[in-house]
Amino acid sequence: MRIFSGIQPSGTIHIGNYFGMIKKMIESQNEGELFAFLASYHALTSVKSKELLEKNSYEAAINFLALGMDPEKSTFWIQHDVKEVLELYWILSNHTSMGLLERAHSYKDKTARGIQANHGLFSYPVLMAADILLFDSNIIPVGKDQIQHVEMTRDIANSFNHAYSKEIFVLPEARVDEIVATVPGTDGAKMSKSYNNTIDMFTSLKDRKKQVMGIVTDSKELNEVKEWENCNIYSISKLFMNENELANLRQRYETPGEGYGHFKMTLLEKINEYFAPYEEKREYYLNNKKEVREILEFGASKARKIASAKMEIVKDCVGLI
């Protein structure tokens, strides 16, 4: 079973990224053959600065390595090191209807938020399809907002296979973890940098404390019983606490005498404890940039071998001899 996943190199990773996708991606190294890449071409739809893209790409690479990406167990590379994806992108574009792209939720949502409409943003799903289909991917772990893109990939693959009466491309399946598919932010909405409601993974203790202390709650006083069911502190705590710890926290909510600030400090301690080992490993990679680059080149060499073989089949099929 081949598992395929990618993430845009945005630099800063928050706990929504981690629990919503990255953690499952890392764990999937023990479930099957993992192909994981940093989507640098996709990032060009939103990043127009050379320095920022280079910085974000490097930071994303070290973040993944710090969190447990194993270059021996997986194939881990940066997208622009495997040029075959652009060849396939163009070929698949000729098997993608305008109507399919016009129905893309992501495109409509982004342009509605004021992001400039351009061809790259519009054809984003075709490049994503090329990423997936180039490696005969079986399982695609995604958030709920990306399910449509996997469905579009299947549509494009079916269109190509039908046009040439051959099963050239494997039809991928989306996998969504319903439990943590949407991680709540400090205001209760989906955690997102766009909403300014994140708790960052790799940041200073001072900044993380500020983010945690900014979690939105009601205004109950110290001597009042608190409601934990719909409390943002409790919702985030579920990511870091076991059942016994959560039971203890619920009891504290139901016992007058503590305020939300106390619960936030408990959550902060759990977050700091959880990520401490990863921060130590990240520090190592920050001081060994050459090793990071060698790891990405090693992954790209493995990816290119498979991508090149697949493109030979595709080009022969369409007549590009």
Side-chain angles (χ1 to χ4, degrees):
M1 178 177 67
R2 187 166 287 176
I3 303 166
F4 186 91
S5 193
I7 190 169
Q8 284 199 34
S10 59
T12 303
I13 292 178
H14 54 72
I15 65 172
N17 300 138
Y18 177 70
F19 286 104
M21 179 183 178
I22 297 172
K23 184 173 184 289
K24 291 295 179 182
M25 184 195 299
I26 299 297
E27 291 172 348
S28 68
Q29 293 179 113
N30 299 317
E31 299 173 14
E33 189 181 8
L34 175 64
F35 282 68
F37 74 107
L38 301 174
S40 51
Y41 283 136
H42 288 287
L44 291 172
T45 61
S46 57
V47 179
K48 309 301 181 186
S49 163
K50 163 185 163 63
E51 292 75 19
L52 183 60
L53 183 56
E54 289 178 346
K55 174 179 177 291
N56 286 352
S57 297
Y58 174 68
E59 287 190 6
I62 65 171
N63 289 343
F64 270 84
L65 292 170
L67 290 168
M69 184 65 71
D70 186 337
E72 297 297 334
K73 285 185 177 180
S74 63
T75 300
F76 178 52
W77 76 102
I78 192 162
Q79 190 180 25
H80 63 261
D81 281 343
V82 181
K83 305 295 190 298
E84 286 84 356
V85 70
L86 295 182
E87 281 189 282
L88 185 55
Y89 163 67
W90 177 249
I91 292 172
L92 295 180
S93 293
N94 295 282
H95 296 272
T96 306
S97 70
M98 291 292 291
L100 183 68
L101 295 179
E102 287 167 350
R103 292 192 294 273
H105 303 318
S106 178
Y107 175 75
K108 289 187 282 189
D109 290 345
K110 288 177 180 177
T111 53
R113 293 205 309 267
I115 296 176
Q116 182 182 0
N118 57 44
H119 177 262
L121 194 64
F122 185 67
S123 64
Y124 187 107
V126 187
L127 182 55
M128 184 171 174
D131 292 322
I132 294 169
L133 298 176
L134 187 59
F135 296 97
D136 291 329
S137 311
N138 305 111
I139 302 296
I140 318 298
V142 291
K144 288 182 178 179
D145 58 338
Q146 290 286 317
I147 292 175
Q148 188 194 39
H149 280 165
V150 180
E151 293 172 345
M152 293 171 78
T153 296
R154 291 173 60 88
D155 289 339
I156 294 169
N158 267 321
S159 175
F160 185 96
N161 289 347
H162 177 74
Y164 293 99
S165 302
K166 293 182 179 180
E167 297 300 313
I168 299 297
F169 293 119
V170 172
L171 301 186
E173 298 284 346
R175 178 198 284 172
V176 179
D177 187 332
E178 295 293 340
I179 298 175
V180 293
T182 301
V183 175
T186 55
D187 59 356
K190 177 185 176 181
M191 187 172 289
S192 170
K193 285 187 283 290
S194 302
Y195 301 154
N196 195 30
N197 65 354
T198 64
I199 298 174
D200 295 331
M201 285 183 53
F202 298 119
T203 186
S204 69
L205 295 177
K206 179 181 178 181
D207 286 345
R208 185 183 291 152
K209 180 179 180 180
K210 182 179 179 180
Q211 291 172 334
V212 171
M213 298 308 288
I215 295 174
V216 177
T217 65
D218 61 37
S219 55
K220 285 187 170 60
E221 300 292 338
L222 281 173
N223 60 350
E224 294 182 271
V225 171
K226 316 296 187 298
E227 296 180 4
W228 54 267
E229 287 92 341
N230 297 309
C231 178
N232 295 327
I233 303 170
Y234 185 82
S235 296
I236 297 172
S237 295
K238 289 190 289 187
L239 300 169
F240 297 95
M241 297 184 184
N242 59 38
E243 273 306 313
N244 288 335
E245 291 169 329
L246 287 171
N248 177 262
L249 183 59
R250 290 194 294 270
Q251 186 175 19
R252 291 170 62 188
Y253 269 83
E254 295 165 357
T255 305
E258 288 190 281
Y260 289 114
H262 297 95
F263 306 148
K264 290 176 181 179
M265 287 303 297
T266 298
L267 172 59
L268 179 61
E269 289 173 7
K270 294 299 296 183
I271 294 174
N272 289 342
E273 177 186 326
Y274 188 97
F275 289 121
Y278 302 125
E279 288 172 341
E280 183 178 341
K281 194 171 181 182
R282 183 175 185 269
E283 190 67 25
Y284 167 81
Y285 285 114
L286 279 171
N287 295 317
N288 290 273
K289 293 185 178 181
K290 182 181 178 184
E291 184 175 342
V292 174
R293 186 63 244 177
E294 288 172 350
I295 288 171
L296 290 173
E297 289 173 352
F298 173 63
S301 68
K302 292 196 292 181
R304 280 194 299 269
K305 183 177 180 180
I306 294 169
S308 176
K310 187 67 179 182
M311 282 310 302
E312 287 301 313
I313 294 171
V314 172
K315 288 193 287 187
D316 179 67
C317 181
V318 301
L320 295 175
I321 300 172

